[in-house]
Coordinates of all heavy atoms in Angstrom, one line a residue:
M1 N 58.4 149.7 131.5 CA 57.2 148.9 131.7 C 56.0 149.7 131.4 O 55.9 150.9 131.6 CB 57.2 148.6 133.3 CG 56.2 147.5 133.6 SD 55.9 147.4 135.4 CE 54.5 148.5 135.5
V2 N 55.1 149.0 130.7 CA 53.8 149.7 130.3 C 52.8 149.4 131.4 O 52.4 148.3 131.7 CB 53.3 149.2 129.0 CG1 52.0 149.8 128.6 CG2 54.3 149.4 127.9
T3 N 52.3 150.5 132.0 CA 51.2 150.3 133.1 C 49.9 149.9 132.4 O 49.7 150.1 131.2 CB 51.0 151.6 133.9 OG1 50.5 152.6 133.0 CG2 52.3 152.0 134.6
Q4 N 49.0 149.4 133.2 CA 47.7 149.1 132.7 C 47.0 150.3 132.0 O 46.5 150.2 130.9 CB 46.7 148.6 133.9 CG 45.4 148.1 133.3 CD 44.3 148.0 134.4 OE1 44.4 148.6 135.5 NE2 43.3 147.3 134.1
G5 N 47.1 151.5 132.7 CA 46.5 152.7 132.1 C 47.1 153.0 130.8 O 46.4 153.4 129.9
E6 N 48.4 153.0 130.7 CA 49.1 153.3 129.4 C 48.7 152.3 128.3 O 48.4 152.7 127.2 CB 50.6 153.3 129.7 CG 51.3 153.7 128.4 CD 52.8 153.9 128.6 OE1 53.3 153.6 129.7 OE2 53.5 154.3 127.7
G7 N 48.7 151.0 128.6 CA 48.3 150.0 127.6 C 46.9 150.2 127.1 O 46.7 150.2 125.9
L8 N 46.0 150.5 128.1 CA 44.6 150.7 127.7 C 44.4 152.0 126.9 O 43.6 152.0 125.9 CB 43.7 150.7 128.9 CG 43.5 149.3 129.6 CD1 42.9 149.5 131.0 CD2 42.7 148.4 128.8
Y9 N 45.1 153.0 127.3 CA 45.1 154.3 126.6 C 45.5 154.1 125.1 O 44.8 154.5 124.2 CB 46.0 155.4 127.3 CG 46.0 156.6 126.4 CD1 45.0 157.5 126.5 CD2 47.0 156.8 125.5 CE1 45.0 158.6 125.6 CE2 47.0 157.9 124.6 CZ 46.0 158.8 124.7 OH 45.9 159.9 123.8
R10 N 46.6 153.4 124.9 CA 47.1 153.2 123.6 C 46.1 152.4 122.7 O 45.9 152.7 121.6 CB 48.4 152.4 123.6 CG 49.5 153.3 124.1 CD 50.9 152.6 123.9 NE 51.9 153.3 124.6 CZ 53.1 152.7 124.8 NH1 53.3 151.4 124.6 NH2 54.0 153.4 125.4
E11 N 45.5 151.4 123.4 CA 44.5 150.6 122.7 C 43.2 151.4 122.3 O 42.7 151.2 121.2 CB 44.1 149.5 123.7 CG 44.3 148.1 123.3 CD 43.8 147.2 124.4 OE1 42.6 147.1 124.5 OE2 44.7 146.8 125.2
A12 N 42.7 152.1 123.3 CA 41.3 152.6 123.2 C 41.3 154.1 122.8 O 40.2 154.5 122.3 CB 40.6 152.4 124.5
C13 N 42.3 154.9 123.1 CA 42.2 156.3 123.0 C 43.2 157.0 122.0 O 42.9 158.1 121.5 CB 42.3 157.0 124.3 SG 41.6 156.1 125.7
A14 N 44.3 156.3 121.8 CA 45.4 157.0 121.1 C 45.1 157.3 119.7 O 45.6 158.3 119.1 CB 46.7 156.2 121.2
A15 N 44.2 156.5 119.1 CA 43.9 156.7 117.6 C 43.4 158.1 117.4 O 43.7 158.8 116.4 CB 42.9 155.7 117.2
C16 N 42.6 158.6 118.4 CA 42.0 159.9 118.2 C 42.7 161.0 119.0 O 42.7 162.2 118.6 CB 40.5 159.9 118.7 SG 39.4 159.0 117.6
H17 N 43.3 160.6 120.1 CA 43.9 161.6 121.0 C 45.5 161.6 120.9 O 46.1 162.5 121.5 CB 43.5 161.4 122.5 CG 42.1 161.8 122.7 ND1 41.6 163.0 122.7 CD2 41.0 161.0 122.9 CE1 40.3 163.0 122.9 NE2 39.9 161.8 123.0
G18 N 46.0 160.7 120.1 CA 47.5 160.7 119.9 C 48.2 159.8 120.8 O 47.9 159.7 122.0
Q19 N 49.3 159.2 120.3 CA 50.1 158.3 121.2 C 50.7 159.1 122.4 O 50.8 158.6 123.4 CB 51.3 157.8 120.4 CG 51.0 156.7 119.4 CD 50.5 155.4 120.0 OE1 50.9 155.1 121.2 NE2 49.8 154.5 119.3
D20 N 50.9 160.4 122.1 CA 51.5 161.2 123.2 C 50.4 162.0 123.9 O 50.7 162.9 124.7 CB 52.5 162.2 122.6 CG 52.0 163.1 121.5 OD1 50.7 163.0 121.2 OD2 52.7 163.9 120.9
A21 N 49.1 161.7 123.6 CA 48.0 162.4 124.2 C 47.9 163.9 123.9 O 47.2 164.6 124.6 CB 47.9 162.1 125.7
R22 N 48.6 164.3 122.9 CA 48.6 165.7 122.6 C 47.6 166.1 121.5 O 47.6 167.2 120.9 CB 50.0 166.2 122.2 CG 50.9 166.3 123.4 CD 52.4 166.5 123.1 NE 53.2 166.6 124.3 CZ 53.4 167.7 125.0 NH1 53.0 168.8 124.6 NH2 54.2 167.6 126.1
G23 N 46.8 165.1 121.1 CA 45.7 165.4 120.2 C 46.1 165.0 118.8 O 47.3 164.9 118.4
V24 N 45.1 164.8 117.9 CA 45.3 164.5 116.5 C 44.3 165.4 115.8 O 43.1 165.5 116.1 CB 45.0 163.0 116.2 CG1 45.1 162.8 114.7 CG2 45.8 162.1 117.0
A25 N 44.8 166.2 114.8 CA 44.0 167.1 114.0 C 42.8 166.4 113.5 O 42.9 165.3 112.9 CB 44.8 167.8 112.9
N26 N 41.6 167.0 113.7 CA 40.3 166.5 113.1 C 39.9 165.2 113.7 O 39.0 164.6 113.2 CB 40.4 166.5 111.6 CG 40.7 167.8 111.0 OD1 40.1 168.8 111.4 ND2 41.6 167.9 110.1
L27 N 40.5 164.7 114.7 CA 40.1 163.5 115.4 C 39.8 163.6 116.8 O 38.7 163.2 117.3 CB 41.1 162.4 115.2 CG 41.2 161.8 113.8 CD1 42.3 160.7 113.7 CD2 39.9 161.1 113.4
G28 N 40.7 164.2 117.6 CA 40.5 164.4 119.0 C 41.4 165.4 119.6 O 42.6 165.5 119.2
P29 N 41.0 166.2 120.6 CA 41.8 167.2 121.2 C 42.9 166.6 122.1 O 42.8 165.5 122.5 CB 40.8 168.0 122.0 CG 39.7 167.1 122.4 CD 39.6 166.1 121.2
S30 N 43.8 167.5 122.5 CA 44.9 167.1 123.5 C 44.2 166.8 124.8 O 43.3 167.4 125.2 CB 45.8 168.3 123.6 OG 46.7 168.1 124.7
L31 N 44.8 165.8 125.5 CA 44.3 165.4 126.8 C 45.3 165.8 127.9 O 45.0 165.6 129.1 CB 44.0 163.9 126.9 CG 42.8 163.5 126.0 CD1 42.6 162.0 126.2 CD2 41.5 164.3 126.2
V32 N 46.5 166.2 127.5 CA 47.6 166.5 128.5 C 47.3 167.8 129.3 O 47.8 168.0 130.4 CB 49.0 166.5 128.0 CG1 49.4 165.1 127.4 CG2 49.2 167.6 126.9
D33 N 46.4 168.6 128.7 CA 46.0 169.9 129.4 C 44.5 170.0 129.5 O 44.0 171.1 129.5 CB 46.6 171.1 128.7 CG 46.3 171.0 127.2 OD1 45.5 170.1 126.8 OD2 46.8 171.8 126.4
S34 N 43.9 168.8 129.6 CA 42.4 168.8 129.6 C 41.9 169.1 131.0 O 42.2 168.3 131.9 CB 41.9 167.5 129.1 OG 40.6 167.2 129.5
A35 N 41.0 170.1 131.2 CA 40.4 170.3 132.5 C 39.5 169.1 132.9 O 39.5 168.8 134.1 CB 39.5 171.6 132.4
V36 N 38.9 168.4 131.9 CA 38.1 167.3 132.3 C 39.0 166.2 133.0 O 38.5 165.6 134.0 CB 37.5 166.6 131.0 CG1 36.7 165.3 131.4 CG2 36.5 167.6 130.4
I37 N 40.2 166.0 132.5 CA 41.1 165.0 133.1 C 41.7 165.6 134.4 O 41.8 164.8 135.4 CB 42.2 164.7 132.1 CG1 41.7 164.0 130.9 CG2 43.3 163.9 132.8 CD1 41.1 162.6 131.2
L38 N 42.1 166.8 134.4 CA 42.9 167.3 135.5 C 42.1 167.9 136.7 O 42.7 168.0 137.8 CB 43.9 168.4 135.0 CG 44.8 167.9 133.9 CD1 45.7 169.0 133.4 CD2 45.6 166.7 134.4
E39 N 40.9 168.4 136.5 CA 40.2 169.0 137.5 C 39.1 168.2 138.2 O 38.5 167.4 137.5 CB 39.6 170.3 137.0 CG 40.6 171.4 136.7 CD 40.1 172.6 136.0 OE1 38.9 172.8 135.9 OE2 40.9 173.4 135.5
G40 N 38.9 168.3 139.4 CA 37.9 167.6 140.1 C 38.2 166.1 140.4 O 39.3 165.7 140.3
E41 N 37.2 165.4 140.7 CA 37.3 163.9 141.0 C 37.6 163.1 139.8 O 37.0 163.4 138.7 CB 36.0 163.4 141.6 CG 35.6 164.0 142.9 CD 36.4 163.6 144.0 OE1 36.9 162.4 144.0 OE2 36.6 164.4 145.0
A42 N 38.5 162.2 139.9 CA 38.8 161.3 138.8 C 37.6 160.6 138.3 O 37.4 160.3 137.1 CB 39.9 160.3 139.2
Q43 N 36.7 160.3 139.2 CA 35.4 159.6 138.9 C 34.6 160.4 137.9 O 33.8 159.9 137.1 CB 34.6 159.3 140.2 CG 35.0 158.1 140.9 CD 34.9 156.8 140.0 OE1 34.2 156.7 139.0 NE2 35.7 155.8 140.5
A44 N 34.6 161.8 138.1 CA 33.9 162.6 137.2 C 34.4 162.5 135.7 O 33.7 162.5 134.8 CB 33.9 164.1 137.6
A45 N 35.7 162.4 135.6 CA 36.3 162.2 134.3 C 35.9 160.8 133.7 O 35.6 160.7 132.5 CB 37.9 162.3 134.4
V46 N 35.8 159.8 134.6 CA 35.4 158.5 134.1 C 34.0 158.6 133.6 O 33.6 158.1 132.5 CB 35.5 157.4 135.3 CG1 34.7 156.2 134.9 CG2 36.9 157.2 135.6
A47 N 33.1 159.3 134.3 CA 31.7 159.5 133.9 C 31.6 160.2 132.5 O 30.8 159.9 131.7 CB 30.9 160.2 135.0
F48 N 32.5 161.2 132.4 CA 32.5 162.0 131.1 C 32.9 161.0 130.0 O 32.3 161.1 128.9 CB 33.6 163.1 131.2 CG 33.8 163.9 130.0 CD1 33.2 165.1 129.8 CD2 34.5 163.4 128.9 CE1 33.3 165.9 128.6 CE2 34.7 164.1 127.8 CZ 34.1 165.3 127.6
I49 N 33.9 160.2 130.2 CA 34.4 159.3 129.1 C 33.3 158.3 128.8 O 33.0 158.0 127.6 CB 35.7 158.6 129.5 CG1 36.8 159.7 129.7 CG2 36.1 157.6 128.5 CD1 38.0 159.2 130.6
R50 N 32.6 157.8 129.8 CA 31.6 156.8 129.6 C 30.5 157.4 128.7 O 30.0 156.8 127.8 CB 31.0 156.5 131.0 CG 30.1 155.3 131.1 CD 30.8 154.0 130.7 NE 31.4 153.3 131.7 CZ 32.3 152.3 131.4 NH1 32.6 152.0 130.2 NH2 32.9 151.6 132.4
K51 N 30.1 158.7 129.0 CA 29.1 159.3 128.2 C 29.5 159.7 126.8 O 28.7 159.6 125.9 CB 28.6 160.5 129.0 CG 27.5 161.3 128.4 CD 26.8 162.2 129.5 CE 25.7 163.1 128.9 NZ 26.3 164.4 128.4
G52 N 30.7 160.1 126.7 CA 31.2 160.7 125.4 C 30.6 162.0 125.1 O 30.0 162.6 126.0
V53 N 30.8 162.5 123.9 CA 30.3 163.9 123.5 C 29.6 163.7 122.2 O 30.3 163.6 121.1 CB 31.4 164.9 123.5 CG1 30.8 166.3 123.4 CG2 32.3 164.9 124.7
A54 N 28.3 163.8 122.1 CA 27.6 163.7 120.9 C 27.7 165.1 120.1 O 28.1 166.1 120.7 CB 26.1 163.4 121.1
L55 N 27.4 165.0 118.8 CA 27.5 166.2 118.0 C 26.6 167.3 118.5 O 26.9 168.5 118.5 CB 27.2 165.9 116.6 CG 28.3 165.7 115.6 CD1 27.8 165.7 114.2 CD2 29.4 166.7 115.8
D56 N 25.4 166.9 119.0 CA 24.4 167.9 119.4 C 24.5 168.2 120.9 O 23.7 168.9 121.5 CB 23.0 167.4 119.1 CG 22.6 166.1 119.7 OD1 23.5 165.6 120.5 OD2 21.5 165.6 119.5
D57 N 25.6 167.7 121.6 CA 25.8 168.0 123.0 C 26.2 169.5 123.1 O 27.2 169.9 122.4 CB 26.9 167.1 123.5 CG 27.0 167.2 125.0 OD1 26.9 168.3 125.6 OD2 27.3 166.1 125.7
P58 N 25.5 170.3 123.9 CA 25.9 171.7 124.1 C 27.4 171.8 124.5 O 28.0 172.9 124.3 CB 25.0 172.2 125.1 CG 23.9 171.2 125.3 CD 24.4 169.9 124.8
A59 N 27.9 170.8 125.2 CA 29.3 170.8 125.7 C 30.3 170.6 124.5 O 31.5 170.7 124.8 CB 29.5 169.8 126.8
N60 N 29.8 170.2 123.4 CA 30.7 169.8 122.3 C 31.5 171.1 121.8 O 30.9 172.1 121.5 CB 30.0 169.2 121.1 CG 30.9 168.6 120.0 OD1 31.8 169.3 119.5 ND2 30.7 167.4 119.8
T61 N 32.8 171.0 121.8 CA 33.7 172.2 121.5 C 34.3 172.0 120.2 O 34.9 173.0 119.7 CB 34.8 172.4 122.6 OG1 35.5 171.1 122.7 CG2 34.2 172.7 124.0
T62 N 34.3 170.9 119.5 CA 35.1 170.7 118.3 C 34.3 170.4 117.1 O 34.9 170.4 116.0 CB 36.0 169.4 118.5 OG1 35.2 168.3 118.8 CG2 37.0 169.6 119.7
G63 N 33.0 170.1 117.2 CA 32.3 169.7 116.0 C 32.6 168.2 115.6 O 32.3 167.8 114.5
L64 N 33.3 167.5 116.5 CA 33.7 166.1 116.3 C 33.0 165.3 117.4 O 32.7 165.7 118.4 CB 35.2 165.9 116.3 CG 36.0 166.7 115.4 CD1 37.5 166.7 115.8 CD2 35.9 166.2 114.0
V65 N 32.8 164.0 117.1 CA 32.1 163.1 118.0 C 33.2 162.3 118.9 O 34.1 161.8 118.3 CB 31.2 162.1 117.3 CG1 30.7 161.0 118.3 CG2 30.1 162.8 116.5
M66 N 32.9 162.3 120.1 CA 33.6 161.4 121.0 C 32.7 160.3 121.4 O 31.6 160.5 122.0 CB 34.1 162.1 122.3 CG 34.3 161.2 123.5 SD 36.0 160.8 123.8 CE 35.8 159.8 125.2
P67 N 32.9 159.1 120.9 CA 31.9 158.0 121.1 C 31.9 157.6 122.6 O 32.9 157.8 123.3 CB 32.4 156.8 120.3 CG 33.8 157.2 119.8 CD 34.1 158.6 120.1
P68 N 30.7 157.2 123.1 CA 30.6 156.8 124.5 C 31.7 155.7 124.8 O 32.0 154.8 124.0 CB 29.2 156.1 124.6 CG 28.4 156.8 123.6 CD 29.4 157.1 122.4
S69 N 32.4 155.9 126.0 CA 33.5 155.0 126.4 C 34.6 155.0 125.3 O 35.4 154.0 125.3 CB 33.0 153.6 126.7 OG 31.9 153.6 127.5
G70 N 34.7 156.0 124.5 CA 35.7 156.0 123.5 C 35.5 154.9 122.5 O 36.4 154.4 121.8
G71 N 34.2 154.4 122.4 CA 33.9 153.3 121.5 C 34.3 151.9 122.1 O 34.3 150.9 121.4
R72 N 34.6 151.9 123.4 CA 35.0 150.7 124.1 C 34.1 150.4 125.3 O 34.6 150.5 126.4 CB 36.5 150.7 124.5 CG 37.4 150.6 123.3 CD 37.5 149.2 122.8 NE 37.8 148.3 123.8 CZ 39.1 147.9 124.1 NH1 40.1 148.4 123.5 NH2 39.3 147.1 125.1
P73 N 32.8 150.1 125.1 CA 31.9 149.8 126.2 C 32.3 148.7 127.1 O 31.8 148.5 128.2 CB 30.6 149.6 125.5 CG 30.9 149.2 124.1 CD 32.2 149.9 123.8
D74 N 33.3 147.8 126.6 CA 33.7 146.7 127.3 C 34.7 147.1 128.5 O 34.9 146.3 129.4 CB 34.5 145.7 126.4 CG 35.7 146.4 125.7 OD1 35.5 147.4 125.0 OD2 36.8 145.9 125.9
L75 N 35.2 148.3 128.4 CA 36.1 148.7 129.5 C 35.3 149.0 130.8 O 34.3 149.7 130.8 CB 36.9 150.0 129.1 CG 37.8 149.9 127.9 CD1 38.5 151.2 127.6 CD2 38.9 148.8 128.1
S76 N 35.9 148.5 131.9 CA 35.2 148.7 133.2 C 35.5 150.1 133.7 O 36.5 150.7 133.2 CB 35.7 147.6 134.2 OG 37.1 147.9 134.5
D77 N 34.8 150.5 134.8 CA 35.1 151.8 135.4 C 36.5 151.8 135.9 O 37.2 152.8 135.9 CB 34.1 152.0 136.6 CG 32.8 152.5 136.1 OD1 32.5 152.6 134.9 OD2 31.9 152.9 137.0
Q78 N 36.9 150.6 136.5 CA 38.3 150.5 137.0 C 39.3 150.7 135.9 O 40.3 151.4 136.1 CB 38.4 149.2 137.7 CG 39.7 149.0 138.5 CD 40.8 148.5 137.5 OE1 40.6 147.8 136.6 NE2 42.1 148.9 137.8
Q79 N 39.0 150.2 134.7 CA 40.0 150.4 133.6 C 40.0 151.8 133.1 O 41.0 152.4 132.8 CB 39.6 149.4 132.5 CG 39.9 148.0 132.8 CD 39.5 147.0 131.7 OE1 38.3 147.0 131.3 NE2 40.3 146.1 131.3
L80 N 38.8 152.5 133.0 CA 38.8 153.9 132.6 C 39.5 154.7 133.7 O 40.2 155.7 133.3 CB 37.3 154.4 132.5 CG 36.5 153.8 131.3 CD1 35.2 154.4 131.2 CD2 37.3 154.0 130.0
L81 N 39.3 154.4 134.9 CA 40.0 155.1 136.0 C 41.6 155.0 135.8 O 42.3 155.9 136.0 CB 39.6 154.5 137.4 CG 40.0 155.3 138.6 CD1 39.4 156.7 138.5 CD2 39.5 154.6 139.9
A82 N 42.0 153.8 135.4 CA 43.5 153.6 135.2 C 43.9 154.5 134.1 O 45.0 155.0 134.2 CB 43.7 152.1 134.9
I83 N 43.1 154.7 133.1 CA 43.5 155.6 132.0 C 43.6 157.0 132.5 O 44.5 157.7 132.1 CB 42.5 155.4 130.8 CG1 42.5 154.0 130.2 CG2 42.7 156.5 129.7 CD1 41.5 153.8 129.1
V84 N 42.6 157.4 133.3 CA 42.6 158.8 133.8 C 43.8 159.0 134.6 O 44.5 160.1 134.5 CB 41.3 159.1 134.6 CG1 41.4 160.4 135.4 CG2 40.0 159.1 133.7
E85 N 44.2 158.0 135.5 CA 45.4 158.2 136.3 C 46.6 158.3 135.5 O 47.5 159.1 135.8 CB 45.5 157.0 137.3 CG 44.4 156.8 138.3 CD 44.2 157.9 139.3 OE1 45.1 158.7 139.4 OE2 43.2 157.9 140.0
Y86 N 46.7 157.5 134.4 CA 47.8 157.6 133.5 C 47.9 159.0 132.9 O 49.0 159.6 132.8 CB 47.6 156.5 132.4 CG 48.5 156.8 131.2 CD1 49.9 156.6 131.3 CD2 48.0 157.1 130.0 CE1 50.7 156.9 130.2 CE2 48.8 157.4 128.9 CZ 50.2 157.2 129.0 OH 51.0 157.5 127.9
L87 N 46.8 159.5 132.4 CA 46.8 160.9 131.8 C 47.1 161.9 132.8 O 47.8 162.9 132.5 CB 45.4 161.1 131.1 CG 45.1 160.3 129.9 CD1 43.7 160.4 129.5 CD2 46.1 160.7 128.7
R88 N 46.6 161.8 134.0 CA 47.0 162.8 135.1 C 48.5 162.8 135.3 O 49.0 163.8 135.6 CB 46.2 162.5 136.4 CG 44.7 162.9 136.3 CD 44.0 162.8 137.6 NE 42.8 163.5 137.6 CZ 42.1 163.8 138.7 NH1 42.5 163.5 139.8 NH2 41.0 164.5 138.5
A89 N 49.0 161.6 135.3 CA 50.5 161.5 135.6 C 51.3 162.2 134.5 O 52.4 162.6 134.8 CB 50.9 160.0 135.8
R90 N 50.7 162.3 133.3 CA 51.5 162.9 132.2 C 51.1 164.3 131.9 O 51.4 164.8 130.8 CB 51.6 162.1 131.0 CG 50.7 161.0 130.8 CD 51.0 160.4 129.4 NE 51.7 161.4 128.7 CZ 52.3 161.2 127.5 NH1 52.2 160.1 126.9 NH2 52.9 162.2 126.9
A91 N 50.3 164.9 132.8 CA 49.7 166.2 132.5 C 50.8 167.2 132.3 O 51.9 167.2 133.0 CB 48.9 166.6 133.7
V92 N 50.5 168.2 131.4 CA 51.4 169.3 131.2 C 50.6 170.5 131.7 O 49.6 170.9 131.1 CB 51.8 169.4 129.7 CG1 52.6 170.7 129.5 CG2 52.5 168.2 129.2
V93 N 51.1 171.1 132.8 CA 50.3 172.3 133.3 C 50.9 173.5 132.6 O 52.1 173.7 132.7 CB 50.5 172.3 134.8 CG1 49.7 173.6 135.3 CG2 49.9 171.1 135.4
P94 N 50.0 174.2 131.9 CA 50.5 175.4 131.1 C 51.1 176.5 132.0 O 50.8 176.6 133.1 CB 49.3 175.9 130.4 CG 48.1 175.2 130.9 CD 48.6 174.1 131.8
Ligands
LIG1 C1 36.8 158.3 117.7 C2 37.7 159.2 118.3 C3 37.8 159.2 119.8 C4 38.2 158.2 120.6 C5 38.5 156.7 120.2 C6 38.3 158.7 121.9 N1 38.0 160.1 121.9 FE1 38.0 161.3 123.5 N2 37.3 162.8 122.4 C7 37.1 162.8 121.0 C8 36.6 164.1 120.5 C9 36.3 164.4 119.1 C10 36.5 164.9 121.6 C11 36.1 166.3 121.7 C12 34.5 166.4 121.8 C13 34.1 167.8 121.9 O1 34.0 168.5 121.0 O2 33.7 168.2 123.1 C14 37.0 164.1 122.8 C15 37.1 164.6 124.1 C16 37.6 163.9 125.1 C17 37.8 164.5 126.5 C18 37.5 165.9 126.9 C19 38.6 166.8 126.5 C20 38.4 168.2 127.0 O3 39.1 168.7 127.9 O4 37.5 168.9 126.4 C21 38.3 163.5 127.2 C22 38.7 163.6 128.7 C23 38.5 162.3 126.4 N3 38.0 162.6 125.1 C24 39.0 161.1 126.8 C25 39.1 160.0 126.0 C26 39.6 158.7 126.5 C27 40.1 158.4 127.9 C28 39.4 157.8 125.4 C29 39.8 156.3 125.4 C30 39.0 155.5 126.4 C31 38.9 158.5 124.3 N4 38.7 159.8 124.7 C32 38.7 158.0 123.0 C33 37.4 161.7 120.2 C34 37.7 160.4 120.6

């Protein structure tokens, strides 16, 4: 069964972060060991995704752009939260 979070992840995030969330070279970093996803309140991760990471953002670590809401402004906070929960559930703790 595909959960809501998994379905939305595949639709909205997998192109850059990988079907397995382990990242895609030159598109997006791995999310299975991401501190943004794994640490602190899930709501903070939702806010991060909502904002995205511009090229000139001092927090940018890759020199690549993460569009606000992953380019899906239509997704609700509840839907982004479902994606965060999905990613937390598949976290790989190093
Ligand atoms: C167009 C490509 C693209 C899409 C689509 C995209 N991202 Fe990203 N994402 C990136 C890039 C590039 C970064 C790294 C930005 C930087 O350098 O800090 C990033 C970073 C992140 C981070 C921070 C990772 C870390 O620990 O530094 C999270 C969390 C994240 N994305 C979640 C998502 C989610 C959830 C979605 C789907 C709703 C999504 N992204 C869609 C490109 C994308």
